[in-house]
Amino acid sequence: MMIRRMFDFPDVSLRRQMEDFDRLRRQLDVLNGRFMGSGDLQRTGVFPLINLSENKDAYFVRAELPGVKANELDIQATGNSMSISGERHIPEENGSAKYHRREREAGKFSRMISLSNEIDPEHVEAKMENGILTITLPKAEKAKPRQVTVK
Amino acid sequence: MAESKEIKAKDKKEIATPGEQIKPGPIFAPEVDIFENEHEIVMLADLPGVKTSDLNIDLRDDTLTIMGDVNAAKPQNEDDIVVEYEVGHYLRQFTLSEVIDQSRIEAKLEDGVLRLTLPKVEKATPRKITVNA
């Protein structure tokens, strides 16, 4: 995402090409196993970790948020960015409980995600299922790729 | 609870299994909370993406195994832009030191969190034996 922003050319066709180039390079980096230092994942270190994908109509943001209820989440979308914030609660067990392990974390979180194209904020949909949040962000009409027929 | 802190992003902990897996994909150790009181041991495990039907809990002798399969949620026609976390199966094993009442084990999976209650076997209630003179 960082790299993409650096190459954020105003020229749309050029940007499209840069995206393709980015994708190719990312795949090469994955093969080399040296993306952002170690492993093949891109790390920003902000909770929740997200996976972002797209098809020609929409962007999809996914995040793993086990134990977070839909009403504990606040999702906002604007022209080309969105934010996820909320709080994860882990209810206290009654006093006599003696803990052996405490690996699960509770607390607040907040994350901004900027997208390279305009979206339609009116039709953003979010769904929580088995602890996985899926947000569908439809691309704005003008940002969708258009099939051009050759005469 | 007082002012709550911010959650830090953590990578999932990938584990190596002794045998080779038939299903492809990485295997992660889920994060757990374990506590006990005088009657039971309770385990909470974060298993995002695991459905009830894909969760396997097995208690054999004193080994407890939690296994969760995640079927990739991403449809084929999407292109990745940013990949920060990997999707994979979950596996974690524990050796229990207490004797568990197997017939009363309870498991509940809700919003990607498993709550497993392992009741301890009730100790025989001490019986006072009066010695008659």
Side-chain angles (χ1 to χ4, degrees), chain A residues 43 50 52-53 100 111, chain B residues 11 34 36 46 78 81 84:
Chain A
R43 291 180 175 88
I50 57 139
L52 174 65
S53 60
H100 297 300
R111 170 124 201 216
Chain B
D11 287 321
I34 302 172
E36 73 176 284
D46 286 344
E78 291 176 25
I81 303 173
E84 290 183 346

Side-chain angles (χ1 to χ4, degrees), chain A residues 25-84:
Chain A
R25 203 182 52 176
R26 207 159 43 229
Q27 281 162 1
L28 286 172
D29 281 335
V30 167
L31 287 176
N32 290 334
R34 58 178 175 80
F35 198 91
M36 300 269 184
S38 65
D40 55 356
L41 300 176
Q42 301 167 36
R43 291 180 175 88
T44 50
V46 182
F47 187 92
L49 294 179
I50 57 139
N51 281 352
L52 174 65
S53 60
E54 67 173 330
N55 63 19
K56 66 179 179 15
D57 297 317
Y59 288 104
F60 301 93
V61 172
R62 291 189 178 84
E64 296 184 332
L65 293 165
V68 177
K69 298 252 187 297
N71 59 13
E72 292 169 330
L73 274 173
D74 180 28
I75 296 161
Q76 305 215 355
T78 58
N80 61 354
S81 72
M82 60 153 303
S83 70
I84 307 170

Side-chain angles (χ1 to χ4, degrees), chain B residues 8-69:
Chain B
K8 284 187 203 72
K10 261 186 292 199
D11 287 321
K12 292 198 233 179
K13 208 165 82 195
E14 190 166 351
I15 51 164
T17 48
E20 205 171 324
Q21 296 294 314
I22 293 169
K23 288 175 216 150
I27 296 169
F28 300 103
E31 295 193 328
V32 298
D33 284 353
I34 302 172
F35 59 86
E36 73 176 284
N37 55 35
E38 51 183 305
H39 305 295
E40 60 200 16
I41 297 171
V42 179
M43 181 183 297
L44 293 148
D46 286 344
L47 301 164
V50 177
K51 294 193 196 80
T52 319
S53 54
D54 297 329
L55 178 65
N56 255 301
I57 303 164
D58 182 89
L59 179 61
R60 205 163 299 183
D61 299 328
D62 56 357
T63 306
L64 174 73
T65 309
I66 297 170
M67 225 180 336
D69 288 351

Side-chain angles (χ1 to χ4, degrees), chain A:
Chain A
M1 223 145 90
M2 220 165 66
I3 294 155
R4 173 174 299 202
R5 220 171 291 133
M6 260 159 53
F7 288 120
D8 216 352
F9 286 94
D11 184 315
V12 173
S13 66
L14 185 56
R15 182 159 67 187
R16 194 71 220 169
Q17 285 169 23
M18 292 313 283
E19 275 174 17
D20 288 342
F21 174 66
D22 263 1
R23 192 166 299 135
L24 176 67
R25 203 182 52 176
R26 207 159 43 229
Q27 281 162 1
L28 286 172
D29 281 335
V30 167
L31 287 176
N32 290 334
R34 58 178 175 80
F35 198 91
M36 300 269 184
S38 65
D40 55 356
L41 300 176
Q42 301 167 36
R43 291 180 175 88
T44 50
V46 182
F47 187 92
L49 294 179
I50 57 139
N51 281 352
L52 174 65
S53 60
E54 67 173 330
N55 63 19
K56 66 179 179 15
D57 297 317
Y59 288 104
F60 301 93
V61 172
R62 291 189 178 84
E64 296 184 332
L65 293 165
V68 177
K69 298 252 187 297
N71 59 13
E72 292 169 330
L73 274 173
D74 180 28
I75 296 161
Q76 305 215 355
T78 58
N80 61 354
S81 72
M82 60 153 303
S83 70
I84 307 170
S85 56
E87 186 166 357
R88 186 185 184 201
H89 300 277
I90 295 179
E92 282 291 306
E93 300 296 335
N94 62 40
S96 65
K98 192 174 105 215
Y99 272 88
H100 297 300
R101 275 163 209 260
R102 269 195 131 141
E103 297 169 354
R104 300 165 67 238
E105 259 191 287
K108 288 184 183 146
F109 53 86
S110 166
R111 170 124 201 216
M112 278 284 292
I113 297 148
S114 44
L115 303 157
S116 51
N117 277 319
E118 285 275 305
I119 55 157
D120 178 1
E122 297 294 317
H123 295 97
V124 172
E125 275 173 40
K127 185 178 76 176
M128 267 305 257
E129 203 176 9
N130 301 317
I132 294 188
L133 171 70
T134 305
I135 307 169
T136 307
L137 305 133
K139 290 182 184 175
E141 277 308 317
K142 61 178 178 191
K144 284 184 190 169
R146 211 146 269 141
Q147 182 96 43
V148 179
T149 40
V150 183
K151 286 177 185 151

